[in-house]
Amino acid sequence: MYTVFDPGHCGVSASVYEIAPLAQKYGIGGVAVPQNLLEDPKAGVAAADFIFDHGLRWSLLPTPADFFTESVTDAAFDSALERFKRWADAGEKMGVRYCYNHVWNGSNARKSEAQFEWVLRRLRRIWKVADDHGLRYGMEFLGPCPLQRSFRYPFFNSLSGILALADAVSPRCGFLFDTYHWYTGSDQRVDEAYLAAAQVERMVNFHLNDGVPGRTRTQQEDLERQLPLTSGIIDAALPYRLFERAGYTGPVLCEPLRPWQQNAEGRSLEQTMAQVSAAYERVRQAAQTPPAQAAR
């Protein structure tokens, strides 16, 4: 797997031309795909040449809409899908290989069976666009309980549910594994991590983060997190070790979000990237430590 830096997740603003040399310096293997490059294919190809010259790769292709939110009407979805086709074409020329969307863990309009069919109808169209452009597409489950309680009806909050959706489309349709959602949705169930490891060829990204101290699992909010292995609430080393052993070769991304994003004013781009690099190294080192032997 290769590590990635995404300035948006870290509260800083920088171009790939600023990020690439620092990524190379701090041993980070990839960069996020800026939306503006997808609107300007010539600039996108030039930026791709630049990062490839620095030995880097792209992370995930963004999508122009939150495709699985109910506020996106069918008409808005059709329009966004046309834009996604253009972005996917530009991304293909840039050498982007991965793409995803999250699937909300609840609905205000439909119970679970009807929600499954609604998501599936949209998913089939999104996946076809991605597949036509050589993109490995996957979905992310969302775990936080306060988020799920905000909906009238609950929906999938674990990897098992996302795989059910993916399987209904194609064995090549995949998933994103996020340690925060794994913790908040299934309480770090080991079988979910092993299930992901058994299908790493379908995994399109691996998000690393940690929980907020002073909160129980069911109190953790969706967008409030920390860099991995900061509080020690989430055992990010376990899935990292399993995925590495299983041969996962895709991107891995630190996603601390708030309050780290909001505290970025006092950090330079280089300081931010150095801290992200150190977080990746913490996880690597922890993953190399063999788990304690069970008592006989």
Side-chain angles (χ1 to χ4, degrees):
M1 66 185 87
Y2 63 97
T3 56
V4 169
F5 180 74
D6 186 329
H9 288 319
C10 300
V12 296
S13 178
S15 73
V16 295
Y17 295 97
E18 297 170 285
I19 293 169
L22 291 172
Q24 192 176 46
K25 176 179 178 179
Y26 288 101
I28 295 172
V31 296
V33 180
Q35 293 186 13
N36 65 296
L37 295 181
L38 299 173
E39 296 286 2
D40 185 346
K42 288 184 179 179
V45 171
D49 289 341
F50 184 78
I51 72 159
F52 297 156
D53 286 344
H54 283 76
L56 305 176
R57 288 180 274 184
W58 293 116
S59 180
L60 295 162
L61 185 89
T63 58
D66 187 354
F67 281 134
F68 299 116
T69 188
E70 291 161 351
S71 62
V72 175
T73 64
D74 288 345
F77 175 82
D78 290 342
S79 176
L81 194 67
E82 289 304 311
R83 193 178 186 192
F84 180 48
K85 291 176 183 177
R86 296 194 298 272
W87 284 17
D89 184 64
E92 184 178 20
K93 292 180 173 66
M94 291 166 60
V96 183
R97 293 290 175 263
Y98 301 94
C99 182
Y100 93 109
N101 288 111
H102 53 246
V103 176
W104 294 95
N105 60 359
S107 167
N108 289 318
R110 290 167 289 273
K111 292 183 179 180
S112 58
E113 189 172 358
Q115 182 69 0
F116 184 96
E117 294 301 324
W118 181 82
V119 171
L120 185 59
R121 283 194 296 273
R122 292 191 171 191
L123 173 60
R124 286 188 172 121
R125 296 176 65 190
I126 298 164
W127 183 82
K128 185 178 187 310
V129 172
D131 191 57
D132 285 347
H133 291 87
L135 291 166
R136 292 179 54 186
Y137 179 85
M139 294 165 290
E140 178 185 35
F141 60 93
L142 303 182
C145 296
L147 177 64
Q148 190 169 60
R149 288 194 296 266
S150 72
F151 292 102
R152 184 178 181 185
Y153 305 111
F155 194 55
F156 299 150
N157 67 345
S158 69
L159 176 62
S160 303
I162 287 299
L163 285 175
L165 279 164
D167 287 344
V169 173
S170 167
R172 291 184 288 112
C173 188
F175 64 92
L176 181 154
F177 192 96
D178 185 310
T179 58
Y180 189 78
H181 297 307
W182 171 56
Y183 163 65
T184 55
S186 71
D187 198 15
Q188 303 185 86
R189 277 180 51 179
V190 175
D191 58 340
E192 291 274 303
Y194 274 92
L195 177 61
Q199 304 188 63
V200 290
E201 73 281 356
R202 299 175 70 180
M203 189 157 68
V204 301
N205 207 326
F206 177 26
H207 286 178
L208 296 171
N209 30 50
D210 210 341
V212 177
R215 297 176 182 174
T216 67
R217 178 184 71 86
T218 60
Q219 293 171 332
Q220 299 283 342
E221 296 287 346
D222 182 31
L223 300 178
E224 297 176 12
R225 313 174 193 179
Q226 295 187 320
L227 284 167
L229 299 185
T230 297
S231 65
I233 292 171
I234 298 175
D235 181 13
L238 171 63
Y240 191 100
R241 182 166 50 249
L242 292 177
F243 300 161
E244 187 172 50
R245 186 185 303 160
Y248 174 60
T249 58
V252 54
L253 171 70
C254 279
E255 192 186 40
L257 301 182
R258 298 195 296 258
W260 211 66
Q261 288 173 319
Q262 298 163 317
N263 298 335
E265 188 173 337
R267 296 192 309 266
S268 68
L269 173 63
E270 181 162 3
Q271 289 170 330
T272 300
M273 294 184 69
Q275 290 181 41
V276 169
S277 177
Y280 285 130
E281 186 58 27
R282 280 199 304 273
V283 179
R284 286 194 196 98
Q285 291 297 325
Q288 289 175 6
T289 303
Q293 295 293 317
R296 291 184 179 273

